[in-house]
Amino acid sequence: MIQKKNFRTCASNATNLCEYTEIGAFDDHMMNIAVVENRKLDFHVHESSDEMFVVLEGKMQLEFDDGLVDLGVGDFIIVPKGTRHRPVCTSLVKCLLVEKRGTLTNKNTGGTYDKIE
């Protein structure tokens, strides 16, 4: 039988900083909960995949070449492929990331994504 999941429960169960916890997948996309605090990633670009951030707990910013976008609980943003960006997390945040499998790499996650795709 197909099982339901709850975003709040998945976020509560994700506790390790800078770890990506896969909570689901569909077609060639994966859904990860990321737990981050006091961290800025380097600017980077995903050439072949859009990326969606959904804030489940806390707040964060996404920085683009033309400025910062503030995101709080319940906010989401879709970063189109080819767009230079970087997450800025000055306090604890738990967010859902949705993107094509293979988009997350050790390089664009600041060395914290350790799964081989």
Side-chain angles (χ1 to χ4, degrees), residues 95-112:
C95 64
L96 171 69
L97 301 172
V98 181
E99 60 232 318
K100 283 184 183 176
R101 189 165 297 286
T103 299
L104 288 179
T105 65
N106 198 284
K107 183 177 178 183
N108 64 32
T109 60
T112 61

Side-chain angles (χ1 to χ4, degrees), residues 2 8 18 22 41 54 56 59 62 67 69-71 80 85 97 107 109 115:
I2 297 173
R8 291 174 59 185
C18 301
E22 187 169 331
L41 291 180
V54 182
L56 302 174
K59 59 185 179 177
L62 274 178
V69 176
D70 294 321
L71 300 168
H85 66 286
L97 301 172
K107 183 177 178 183
T109 60
K115 296 168 184 71

Side-chain angles (χ1 to χ4, degrees), residues 1-113:
M1 177 179 216
I2 297 173
Q3 298 289 315
K4 72 175 185 175
K5 291 187 179 181
N6 181 281
F7 286 129
R8 291 174 59 185
T9 301
C10 290
S12 292
N13 291 337
T15 58
N16 295 334
L17 283 176
C18 301
E19 186 171 283
Y20 296 80
T21 303
E22 187 169 331
I23 62 167
F26 57 96
D27 295 327
D28 60 346
H29 287 74
M30 61 183 190
M31 299 170 27
N32 283 283
I33 301 287
V35 182
V36 184
E37 184 175 28
N38 298 325
R39 196 146 194 260
K40 284 185 194 179
L41 291 180
D42 292 335
F43 276 101
H44 60 277
V45 173
H46 304 292
E47 293 294 346
S48 60
S49 178
D50 297 339
E51 182 176 33
M52 183 169 79
F53 292 80
V54 182
V55 176
L56 302 174
E57 294 180 19
K59 59 185 179 177
M60 64 178 287
Q61 296 175 307
L62 274 178
E63 187 171 5
F64 300 95
D65 288 335
D66 59 353
L68 289 164
V69 176
D70 294 321
L71 300 168
V73 174
D75 291 337
F76 74 93
I77 190 167
I78 298 170
V79 180
K81 64 183 172 186
T83 302
R84 201 169 98 98
H85 66 286
R86 74 173 177 168
V88 177
C89 307
T90 57
S91 60
L92 182 67
V93 64
K94 294 183 180 186
C95 64
L96 171 69
L97 301 172
V98 181
E99 60 232 318
K100 283 184 183 176
R101 189 165 297 286
T103 299
L104 288 179
T105 65
N106 198 284
K107 183 177 178 183
N108 64 32
T109 60
T112 61
Y113 188 75

